[in-house]
Amino acid sequence: MSPVTAYVGLGANLDDPIAHVSRALDELGQLPDTTLVSRSALYRSAPMGPPDQPDYINAVCALSTGLCADALLDALRALEAQHGRLRDGTRWGPRTLDLDILLYGDESIQAEHLKVPHPGMAERAFVLYPLAEIAPDLNVPGLGTLQGLLGCCPRDGLQPIRG
């Protein structure tokens, strides 16, 4: 299989989230058949879900990978587990690490366990602004240009904290 560019969103808000996201960025480049191509700065954002949780640290990276989308998803879930992520069914709750496939080449995937482009990414400043930092001219399958999406998504307090 020829390498595909996949964009992965990272987020954490428990147990030193800066360390979890920074370490995960390094670990993503060590996945089989995968190279870390670029990474955004780290950003601080308010939680999407229940308000009684700490702010999130977010980032986005680009990977060149020979893994199929399902194998990449499995690898991301294994990394989350290594970071102490518990999947207890709580939606948008606090977590040590959250890794999401945002885009996988120009594919549109609508499986029960994986949807690409990632649902909701067009409304999430903590995804779009870091993504624009590393791929400003990106075209998002089925959604249009990244620049067009940014024009409809206010920053809402999203702050870069370091590169």
Side-chain angles (χ1 to χ4, degrees):
M1 174 174 163
S2 296
V4 171
T5 300
Y7 293 92
V8 175
L10 300 90
N13 71 340
L14 294 177
D15 302 334
D16 196 355
I18 290 174
H20 279 291
V21 171
S22 297
R23 198 165 72 244
L25 283 163
D26 292 335
E27 293 164 345
L28 286 167
Q30 297 169 19
L31 295 176
D33 264 345
T34 301
T35 303
L36 178 68
V37 176
S38 58
R39 63 201 289 173
S40 73
L42 302 182
Y43 289 78
R44 181 177 309 280
S45 65
M48 254 186 80
D52 59 339
Q53 58 179 312
D55 284 350
Y56 271 81
I57 301 301
N58 298 99
V60 170
C61 70
L63 303 174
S64 176
T65 186
L67 298 174
C68 70
D70 283 332
L72 180 58
L73 179 62
D74 289 345
L76 297 184
R77 288 189 173 163
L79 272 179
E80 289 175 340
Q82 289 171 20
H83 283 257
R85 166 84 186 263
L86 302 175
R87 289 189 172 272
D88 62 3
T90 303
R91 188 172 176 131
W92 298 326
R95 52 199 59 172
T96 54
L97 185 63
D98 185 36
L99 300 171
D100 291 316
I101 299 174
L102 303 172
L103 299 167
Y104 184 83
D106 59 1
E107 289 190 34
S108 178
I109 302 169
Q110 297 302 312
E112 186 175 327
H113 65 286
L114 178 62
K115 298 193 183 339
V116 175
H118 189 279
M121 72 178 274
E123 296 88 34
R124 295 178 180 171
F126 62 86
V127 169
L128 294 179
Y129 286 89
L131 184 57
E133 183 184 324
I134 62 172
D137 299 323
L138 191 65
N139 190 37
V140 180
L143 297 176
T145 67
L146 183 55
Q147 293 304 313
L149 294 173
L150 286 169
C152 300
C153 186
R155 261 188 118 92
D156 287 338
L158 184 71
Q159 302 170 8
I161 57 171
R162 69 177 177 129

